[in-house]
Amino acid sequence: PLGEGRGEGLKNLQAAGFIRIIANNQTLNLADLTNISLLPSDLLVLVDRLKIGDQDTSRLRDSLETAFRHGYGRAIALIDGGVEPTSPTTTIDDKPYHRLDFSTHLECPSCHRLFADPDPRRFSFNSPLGTCPSCEGFGTVDTQTCPTCHGTRLNEEALAWQIAGHNIAQLTALTIDNALNFLSSLKTSDHDRRIAETLLAQIRSRLGFLLEVGLGYLALDRTMRTLSSGEAQRVQLTSVLGSSLLNMLYVLDEPSVGLHPKDVTRLVDSIRRLSARGNSVVAVEHEEELLRSADQLIELGPAAGDSGGEVSFHGTLDEMLKPAASLTGEFLAGRRGISIPENRRATTHGWLKLFNARGHNLKNLTVEFPLNVLCVVSGVSGAGKSTLVQDTLYGAIRQRLARPLEEPTLPHDDLIGCGQIDDCILVDQTPIGRSSRINPVTYIKAFDPIRQVFSETIEARTHNYGPGHFSFNVEAGRCTACQGEGTLQIDMKFMPDVYKKCSQCGGSRYRKEILAAKYRGKSIADVLVMTAREAFGFFRGQPKVQIRLKQLIDVGLDYLQLGQAANTLSAGESQRLKLAAHLSSANKNRTLFILDEPTTGLHFADIVTLLDCFEALLSVGHSLIVVEHNLQLLRSSDYIIDLGPDAGDHGGRLIALGTPEQIANSPDSHTGRFLADALARFAAAPELPN
């Protein structure tokens, strides 16, 4: 384009050595032009005339470079014959030429639309460069699929790029196994293959690991919040176990959480390969198969909390299995644990029947759940257990009992049998709170009677202190400097904040005059640092306090300090704390407890305590439905509902129903295969008193 200064533009062309132009389909000599106002705004500058085959390619290359340089990144070839008849034609000097347009820019040859250069951020819906302008990368607008991006979350420029006819949204919609097949069959030129070789190798490595651990059915664009705990755990481990680093120390914190024994076997194989490459692996674990696969075992103990922190065993598996060598070894050898009952509880106390559950991957399941027994729902990770129990059954029961719901219930047709229960409580692993002001003693409502005890001391009555004065959440009792936090926050500007112990209260959270009121020589702050078991003995003669503290002891949390901040508790501790809080409130009602993997993070001895707690609940008429993989709990259950056969679209079906022995004899059940081994191994173990 010559623009407004066309005269100046033509002079510049002459100065650059160009002689001829093509305007209005005619070849014109720049030196002969007299009336430049008649020229069109767009014209072609003739760079060179070539006859292919008469000279080497260097002249052609030089001419093209000149055309691109002076043509603002564009060049046009006018060819006399030898081109596909579908190419555009241009008539010059009454002679037709085939026209081929070239550009150094990312430009559409038809509409001349320019596209930005590729950038990794342009293909991410979390970046302003790639996100859809309508839904801002969410894929939905008022719960409806975004009409602009159709749920892909990306803008049209991001979707314009394709590999073998697929844009990035179409590729990430593939499952892991289909994505690997696509990459394996991808045909590229030698040039493209050299460029992408390293990237493709890394992609195949990471996808290959996900396939190895049984996640080939997952779509690449599936959100993490829709994954089961076992699926999420394996995805997170991909960056570690799928790497090719050498001479590294890997520290894994309970990598088997949420995994079915079938998946644990694959995990063990992956960890073995990691160590075989010359790496060292340290895993914090309770899973039996991982313990049996370890080269060295270190047991800490002898108990929990202040009673732990010592190395009670260090050696090989064979050394651990020797009598009295370690607590863990006693369970692995079968000398301790819950014995298999001769008769399971009968499933004759009523049933809940759920009709045609079809949420997520469930295949129109109609399932009967027995009441007043320990019913376990099992299956490989991703088989649909949580979808069936938490997202469908629990919601359906709450609706029938006219209770509030936080999440919508997944589709089903009907539920019958709710008249046999008075309440339904879901005990999941979500944190009980992220504030340091929430702690075990407040959560189980033991703090109220404890504060009442302190308000009845002579010192408190002398100064007219009521129960409220002994709370660090009330102005009358808390330290004025730290406002009952026990710590002071120091703003470090551009660095993370720093916390230090409050110098006024010494971290006790209370005013000095409140700490002067003592019960049996201890202040309220002294009581909050006691463990549940210590406090149970300290408050002898105070039944209202002891009843509450007994709940912590019953669920195996006797080692927790009463004032321990809720944000320091593990997921398993939070779940058991919730169970403890419900124990007393459910005593008068026929309550159905639904628990999601309650053995997470528990040692064999802790599971024994948990089963004792379950026994106490069942003995007074309550019911339990537990989603679980743990073989120790499975073999102690009364009734098992096994889903599968595999995960994702290959799951969501009923595989087997019945007692552990019946499940163990099911040829189609992955759970049954491992349960049969566990039952046989436990039956063959020497019978010694616990």
Side-chain angles (χ1 to χ4, degrees):
L2 290 176
E4 296 180 356
R6 59 179 61 193
E8 188 69 24
L10 291 175
K11 290 180 181 179
N12 292 336
L13 288 175
Q14 283 184 295
F18 296 108
I19 300 174
R20 299 178 183 85
I21 63 172
I22 299 173
N24 298 322
N25 297 332
Q26 297 292 321
T27 302
L28 304 175
N29 194 310
L30 283 172
D32 298 337
L33 292 177
T34 56
N35 190 355
I36 63 174
S37 62
L38 297 178
L39 293 176
S41 59
D42 285 348
L43 50 82
L44 303 180
V45 178
L46 188 59
V47 176
D48 200 358
R49 293 177 183 268
L50 300 172
K51 187 174 182 181
I52 302 301
D54 287 352
Q55 67 283 316
D56 58 31
T57 59
S58 60
R59 178 177 172 181
L60 174 62
R61 183 165 52 249
D62 291 342
S63 297
L64 283 173
E65 289 178 353
T66 301
F68 281 125
R69 184 169 64 253
H70 291 276
Y72 304 103
R74 293 177 179 173
I76 297 172
L78 299 174
I79 303 174
D80 181 11
V83 181
E84 292 292 333
T86 57
S87 61
T89 58
T90 298
T91 300
I92 301 174
D93 300 329
D94 299 324
K95 183 177 181 179
Y97 290 86
H98 294 286
R99 174 171 172 163
L100 299 178
D101 289 64
F102 300 95
S103 175
T104 59
H105 306 294
L106 298 174
E107 180 180 6
C108 174
S110 300
C111 66
H112 298 292
R113 177 182 173 182
L114 291 174
F115 291 86
D117 290 334
D119 185 293
R121 295 171 298 175
R122 190 168 299 282
F123 303 101
S124 170
F125 48 76
N126 291 320
S127 168
L129 294 179
T131 188
C132 169
S134 298
C135 65
E136 297 182 345
F138 286 98
T140 57
V141 181
D142 299 332
T143 69
Q144 301 296 321
T145 300
C146 176
T148 302
C149 67
H150 305 292
T152 64
R153 305 184 177 195
L154 297 166
N155 57 38
E156 59 178 4
E157 288 200 5
L159 297 175
W161 294 84
Q162 295 185 348
I163 297 176
H166 295 73
N167 61 39
I168 190 169
Q170 293 169 328
L171 288 177
T172 54
L174 296 175
T175 60
I176 291 167
D177 48 7
N178 288 338
L180 276 170
N181 292 335
F182 173 83
L183 294 175
S184 299
S185 61
L186 184 63
K187 297 180 180 179
T188 59
S189 65
D190 292 340
H191 176 263
D192 290 344
R193 188 178 300 109
R194 286 194 297 271
I195 294 174
E197 186 174 6
T198 302
L199 291 174
L200 290 175
Q202 292 180 4
I203 295 172
R204 291 193 189 101
S205 174
R206 294 180 183 276
L207 294 182
F209 172 75
L210 290 172
L211 188 65
E212 288 176 9
V213 295
L215 294 179
Y217 60 90
L218 290 181
L220 293 174
D221 61 356
R222 186 166 167 182
T223 56
M224 288 293 290
R225 64 182 180 85
T226 65
L227 302 182
S228 69
S229 59
E231 290 169 335
Q233 177 80 345
R234 282 177 284 170
V235 170
Q236 292 169 352
L237 283 171
T238 302
S239 59
V240 176
L241 302 184
S243 71
S244 57
L245 298 176
L246 303 177
N247 298 320
M248 298 291 291
L249 170 63
Y250 291 95
V251 179
L252 308 180
D253 186 15
E254 300 193 45
S256 71
V257 167
L259 299 189
H260 187 272
K262 173 175 175 283
D263 304 314
V264 173
T265 301
R266 292 173 168 174
L267 177 66
V268 171
D269 293 339
S270 299
I271 295 177
R272 279 290 189 191
R273 286 197 298 273
L274 196 65
S275 62
R277 292 202 297 262
N279 299 299
S280 301
V281 181
V282 177
V284 179
E285 256 303 342
H286 300 106
E287 167 60 40
E288 182 172 347
E289 185 170 353
L290 271 168
L291 294 178
R292 292 184 180 276
S293 302
D295 300 310
Q296 285 285 306
L297 293 159
I298 300 173
E299 181 184 76
L300 298 183
D306 291 340
S307 300
E310 299 177 5
V311 175
S312 54
F313 174 83
H314 183 194
T316 64
L317 176 65
D318 290 339
E319 293 170 336
M320 176 176 272
L321 293 177
K322 294 178 180 178
S326 79
L327 178 62
T328 303
E330 294 297 296
F331 283 93
L332 290 177
R335 291 187 291 268
R336 294 193 65 172
I338 297 293
S339 60
I340 301 173
E342 294 183 4
N343 298 305
R344 309 281 179 178
R345 294 181 185 86
T347 57
T348 57
H349 301 283
W351 299 75
L352 292 175
K353 189 170 185 179
L354 182 69
F355 292 87
N356 293 327
R358 53 189 178 275
H360 298 323
N361 67 332
L362 299 182
K363 309 298 192 296
N364 288 308
L365 298 188
T366 296
V367 189
E368 291 184 288
F369 300 87
L371 296 175
N372 199 211
V373 299
L374 175 54
C375 173
V376 177
V377 180
S378 63
V380 299
S381 300
K385 303 182 297 298
S386 296
T387 298
L388 174 65
V389 177
Q390 289 184 231
D391 302 333
T392 309
L393 176 65
Y394 174 68
I397 295 173
R398 298 287 289 185
Q399 286 178 331
R400 287 285 183 174
L401 298 178
R403 302 286 198 278
L405 273 175
E406 296 181 0
E407 298 289 338
T409 303
L410 293 182
H412 65 284
D413 286 347
D414 198 5
L415 173 69
I416 61 175
C418 285
Q420 303 167 84
I421 59 175
D422 300 314
D423 198 3
C424 180
I425 295 174
L426 174 64
V427 186
D428 59 14
Q429 296 181 8
T430 56
I432 63 171
R434 302 191 181 276
S435 170
S436 61
R437 295 182 180 274
I438 302 175
N439 45 48
V441 73
T442 57
Y443 195 81
I444 63 170
K445 302 188 185 314
F447 207 24
D448 293 339
I450 288 176
R451 289 188 288 112
Q452 182 64 42
V453 170
F454 273 90
S455 70
E456 295 172 357
T457 61
I458 296 177
E459 183 73 16
R461 294 170 66 180
T462 301
H463 293 85
N464 201 27
Y465 294 157
H469 286 79
F470 296 93
S471 171
F472 50 75
N473 292 320
V474 177
E475 186 174 357
R478 69 189 180 196
C479 170
T480 57
C482 65
Q483 300 298 308
E485 291 285 351
T487 57
L488 295 175
Q489 180 179 350
I490 302 175
D491 185 2
M492 299 298 289
K493 302 301 180 185
F494 302 105
M495 298 175 62
D497 292 342
V498 173
Y499 295 86
K500 71 172 186 177
K501 185 184 294 185
C502 176
S503 58
Q504 182 166 314
C505 68
S508 68
R509 301 184 172 196
Y510 289 95
R511 298 172 185 261
K512 291 182 179 179
E513 58 268 26
I514 300 300
L515 297 178
K518 297 186 176 181
Y519 174 74
R520 291 181 177 166
K522 301 291 185 182
S523 68
I524 185 68
D526 295 330
V527 168
L528 290 179
V529 297
M530 291 181 179
T531 65
R533 185 167 293 279
E534 289 171 343
F536 183 82
F538 177 77
F539 285 103
R540 58 191 180 277
Q542 299 291 342
K544 291 183 179 180
V545 178
Q546 287 189 314
I547 287 175
R548 297 288 183 179
L549 296 178
K550 181 68 162 54
Q551 297 166 14
L552 290 176
I553 297 173
D554 288 343
V555 296
L557 296 179
D558 55 304
Y559 60 89
L560 286 185
Q561 291 184 341
L562 300 187
Q564 185 171 338
N567 53 14
T568 66
L569 301 180
S570 68
E573 289 171 334
S574 295
Q575 187 177 37
R576 283 183 287 161
L577 186 57
K578 292 178 185 179
L579 182 61
H582 291 303
L583 287 179
S584 62
S585 61
N587 283 342
K588 299 179 181 179
N589 301 317
R590 297 172 299 173
T591 303
L592 170 62
F593 288 91
I594 295 178
L595 295 96
D596 182 24
E597 301 186 22
T599 65
T600 297
L602 298 191
H603 185 268
F604 302 104
D606 299 321
I607 296 176
V608 172
T609 302
L610 183 67
L611 287 169
D612 289 340
C613 179
F614 289 171
E615 177 69 31
L617 289 171
L618 293 170
S619 64
V620 293
H622 301 310
S623 303
L624 286 163
I625 297 177
V626 180
V627 175
E628 192 51 81
H629 302 113
N630 183 273
L631 293 173
Q632 187 179 355
L633 193 146
L634 281 168
R635 72 184 182 214
S636 302
S637 64
D638 302 306
Y639 192 83
I640 297 176
I641 298 172
D642 192 49
L643 302 185
D646 291 302
D649 290 338
H650 302 292
R653 295 182 173 87
L654 281 175
I655 300 302
L657 302 168
T659 64
E661 289 76 16
Q662 290 171 324
I663 301 297
N665 290 324
S666 173
D668 301 322
S669 171
H670 292 304
T671 303
R673 176 161 52 93
F674 290 93
L675 188 55
D677 292 339
L679 290 172
R681 186 165 62 245
F682 194 85
E687 186 173 347
L688 293 175
N690 291 339

Coordinates of all heavy atoms in Angstrom, one line a residue, residues 162-198:
Q162 N -3.7 -26.1 15.3 CA -4.1 -27.5 15.2 C -2.9 -28.4 15.0 O -1.9 -27.9 14.5 CB -5.1 -27.8 14.1 CG -6.4 -27.1 14.3 CD -7.4 -27.5 13.2 OE1 -7.0 -28.1 12.2 NE2 -8.7 -27.1 13.4
I163 N -3.0 -29.6 15.5 CA -2.0 -30.6 15.3 C -2.7 -31.8 14.7 O -3.6 -32.4 15.3 CB -1.3 -31.1 16.6 CG1 -0.5 -29.9 17.2 CG2 -0.3 -32.2 16.3 CD1 0.2 -30.2 18.5
A164 N -2.4 -32.1 13.5 CA -3.1 -33.2 12.8 C -4.6 -33.0 12.8 O -5.3 -34.0 13.0 CB -2.7 -34.6 13.4
G165 N -5.0 -31.8 12.6 CA -6.4 -31.5 12.5 C -7.2 -31.4 13.8 O -8.4 -31.3 13.8
H166 N -6.4 -31.4 14.9 CA -7.0 -31.3 16.2 C -6.5 -30.1 17.0 O -5.3 -29.8 17.0 CB -6.7 -32.5 17.1 CG -7.2 -33.8 16.6 ND1 -6.8 -34.5 15.5 CD2 -8.3 -34.6 17.1 CE1 -7.4 -35.6 15.3 NE2 -8.4 -35.7 16.2
N167 N -7.5 -29.3 17.5 CA -7.0 -28.1 18.3 C -6.8 -28.6 19.7 O -7.0 -29.8 20.1 CB -8.0 -27.0 18.3 CG -9.4 -27.4 18.8 OD1 -9.5 -28.1 19.8 ND2 -10.4 -26.9 18.2
I168 N -6.3 -27.7 20.6 CA -5.8 -28.1 21.9 C -7.0 -28.6 22.8 O -6.9 -29.5 23.6 CB -5.1 -27.0 22.6 CG1 -4.4 -27.5 23.9 CG2 -6.0 -25.8 22.9 CD1 -3.4 -26.6 24.6
A169 N -8.2 -28.0 22.6 CA -9.4 -28.5 23.3 C -9.8 -29.9 22.9 O -10.1 -30.7 23.8 CB -10.5 -27.5 23.1
Q170 N -9.7 -30.2 21.6 CA -10.0 -31.6 21.2 C -9.0 -32.6 21.7 O -9.3 -33.7 22.1 CB -10.1 -31.6 19.7 CG -11.3 -30.8 19.1 CD -11.2 -30.6 17.6 OE1 -10.1 -30.5 17.1 NE2 -12.3 -30.5 17.0
L171 N -7.7 -32.2 21.8 CA -6.7 -33.1 22.2 C -6.8 -33.3 23.7 O -6.7 -34.5 24.2 CB -5.3 -32.5 21.9 CG -4.9 -32.6 20.4 CD1 -3.5 -31.9 20.3 CD2 -4.9 -34.0 19.9
T172 N -7.1 -32.3 24.5 CA -7.2 -32.5 26.0 C -8.5 -33.1 26.4 O -8.6 -33.6 27.5 CB -7.1 -31.1 26.7 OG1 -8.0 -30.2 26.2 CG2 -5.7 -30.5 26.6
A173 N -9.5 -33.2 25.5 CA -10.7 -34.0 25.7 C -10.5 -35.5 25.6 O -11.4 -36.2 26.0 CB -11.8 -33.5 24.8
L174 N -9.3 -35.9 25.0 CA -9.1 -37.3 24.9 C -8.8 -37.9 26.2 O -8.2 -37.3 27.1 CB -7.9 -37.5 23.9 CG -8.0 -37.1 22.5 CD1 -6.7 -37.3 21.8 CD2 -9.1 -37.9 21.8
T175 N -9.1 -39.2 26.4 CA -8.6 -39.9 27.6 C -7.1 -40.2 27.5 O -6.5 -40.0 26.4 CB -9.3 -41.3 27.7 OG1 -9.1 -42.1 26.6 CG2 -10.8 -41.0 27.8
I176 N -6.5 -40.5 28.6 CA -5.0 -40.7 28.6 C -4.6 -41.8 27.6 O -3.6 -41.6 26.9 CB -4.6 -41.0 30.0 CG1 -4.8 -39.8 30.9 CG2 -3.1 -41.5 30.0 CD1 -4.6 -40.0 32.4
D177 N -5.3 -42.9 27.6 CA -4.9 -44.0 26.7 C -5.1 -43.6 25.2 O -4.3 -43.9 24.3 CB -5.7 -45.3 27.0 CG -7.1 -45.1 27.2 OD1 -7.6 -44.0 26.9 OD2 -7.8 -46.1 27.6
N178 N -6.2 -42.8 24.9 CA -6.4 -42.4 23.5 C -5.4 -41.3 23.1 O -5.0 -41.2 22.0 CB -7.8 -41.8 23.4 CG -8.9 -42.9 23.4 OD1 -8.6 -44.0 23.1 ND2 -10.1 -42.5 23.7
A179 N -5.0 -40.5 24.1 CA -4.0 -39.5 23.8 C -2.6 -40.1 23.4 O -1.9 -39.7 22.5 CB -3.8 -38.5 25.0
L180 N -2.3 -41.2 24.2 CA -1.1 -41.9 23.9 C -1.1 -42.6 22.5 O -0.2 -42.5 21.7 CB -0.8 -43.0 24.9 CG -0.1 -42.5 26.2 CD1 -0.1 -43.6 27.3 CD2 1.3 -42.1 25.9
N181 N -2.3 -43.1 22.1 CA -2.5 -43.7 20.8 C -2.3 -42.6 19.7 O -1.8 -42.9 18.7 CB -3.8 -44.4 20.7 CG -3.9 -45.6 21.6 OD1 -2.9 -46.2 21.9 ND2 -5.2 -46.0 22.0
F182 N -2.9 -41.4 20.0 CA -2.8 -40.3 19.0 C -1.4 -39.9 18.8 O -0.9 -39.7 17.7 CB -3.6 -39.1 19.5 CG -3.4 -37.9 18.7 CD1 -4.2 -37.7 17.5 CD2 -2.5 -36.9 19.1 CE1 -4.0 -36.5 16.8 CE2 -2.4 -35.8 18.3 CZ -3.1 -35.6 17.2
L183 N -0.6 -39.8 19.9 CA 0.8 -39.4 19.8 C 1.6 -40.5 19.0 O 2.6 -40.2 18.3 CB 1.4 -39.1 21.1 CG 0.8 -37.9 21.9 CD1 1.4 -37.8 23.3 CD2 1.1 -36.6 21.1
S184 N 1.3 -41.7 19.3 CA 2.0 -42.8 18.7 C 1.8 -42.9 17.1 O 2.7 -43.3 16.4 CB 1.6 -44.2 19.3 OG 1.9 -44.2 20.7
S185 N 0.6 -42.5 16.7 CA 0.2 -42.5 15.3 C 0.5 -41.2 14.6 O 0.2 -41.1 13.4 CB -1.2 -42.9 15.1 OG -2.1 -42.0 15.8
L186 N 1.0 -40.2 15.3 CA 1.2 -38.9 14.8 C 2.3 -38.9 13.7 O 3.4 -39.3 14.0 CB 1.6 -37.9 15.9 CG 1.7 -36.4 15.5 CD1 0.4 -35.9 15.0 CD2 2.2 -35.6 16.7
K187 N 2.0 -38.4 12.5 CA 3.0 -38.4 11.4 C 3.4 -37.0 11.2 O 2.6 -36.0 11.0 CB 2.3 -38.9 10.1 CG 1.9 -40.4 10.2 CD 1.3 -40.9 8.9 CE 0.9 -42.4 9.0 NZ 0.3 -42.9 7.7
T188 N 4.7 -36.7 11.3 CA 5.3 -35.4 11.1 C 6.5 -35.5 10.2 O 7.0 -36.5 9.9 CB 5.8 -34.9 12.5 OG1 6.8 -35.8 13.0 CG2 4.7 -34.8 13.5
S189 N 6.8 -34.3 9.7 CA 8.0 -34.2 8.8 C 9.3 -34.4 9.6 O 9.2 -34.2 10.9 CB 8.0 -32.8 8.1 OG 8.2 -31.8 9.0
D190 N 10.4 -34.6 9.0 CA 11.6 -34.7 9.7 C 12.0 -33.5 10.5 O 12.5 -33.5 11.6 CB 12.8 -35.1 8.7 CG 12.6 -36.5 8.1 OD1 11.9 -37.3 8.7 OD2 13.2 -36.7 7.1
H191 N 11.7 -32.3 9.9 CA 11.9 -31.0 10.5 C 11.1 -30.9 11.8 O 11.6 -30.5 12.9 CB 11.6 -29.9 9.5 CG 11.8 -28.5 10.1 ND1 10.7 -27.8 10.6 CD2 12.9 -27.8 10.3 CE1 11.2 -26.7 11.1 NE2 12.5 -26.6 10.9
D192 N 9.8 -31.2 11.7 CA 8.9 -31.0 12.9 C 9.3 -32.1 13.9 O 9.2 -31.8 15.1 CB 7.5 -31.2 12.4 CG 6.9 -30.0 11.6 OD1 7.6 -29.0 11.6 OD2 5.9 -30.2 11.0
R193 N 9.7 -33.2 13.5 CA 10.0 -34.3 14.5 C 11.3 -33.9 15.3 O 11.3 -34.1 16.5 CB 10.3 -35.6 13.7 CG 10.5 -36.8 14.7 CD 10.7 -38.1 13.9 NE 9.5 -38.4 13.1 CZ 9.6 -38.3 11.7 NH1 10.7 -38.0 11.1 NH2 8.5 -38.6 11.0
R194 N 12.2 -33.3 14.6 CA 13.4 -32.8 15.4 C 13.1 -31.7 16.4 O 13.6 -31.7 17.5 CB 14.5 -32.3 14.4 CG 15.2 -33.4 13.6 CD 16.4 -32.9 12.9 NE 16.1 -31.8 11.9 CZ 15.8 -32.1 10.6 NH1 15.8 -33.3 10.2 NH2 15.5 -31.1 9.8
I195 N 12.1 -30.9 16.0 CA 11.8 -29.8 16.9 C 11.0 -30.3 18.1 O 11.2 -29.9 19.3 CB 10.9 -28.7 16.2 CG1 11.7 -28.0 15.1 CG2 10.3 -27.7 17.2 CD1 10.9 -27.1 14.3
A196 N 10.1 -31.3 17.9 CA 9.2 -31.7 19.0 C 9.6 -33.0 19.7 O 8.9 -33.4 20.6 CB 7.8 -31.9 18.3
E197 N 10.7 -33.5 19.3 CA 11.1 -34.8 19.8 C 11.2 -34.9 21.3 O 10.7 -35.8 22.0 CB 12.5 -35.2 19.2 CG 12.9 -36.6 19.5 CD 14.2 -37.0 18.8 OE1 14.8 -36.2 18.1 OE2 14.6 -38.2 18.9
T198 N 11.9 -33.9 21.9 CA 12.1 -33.8 23.4 C 10.8 -33.6 24.1 O 10.5 -34.3 25.1 CB 13.1 -32.7 23.7 OG1 14.3 -32.9 23.1 CG2 13.3 -32.7 25.2

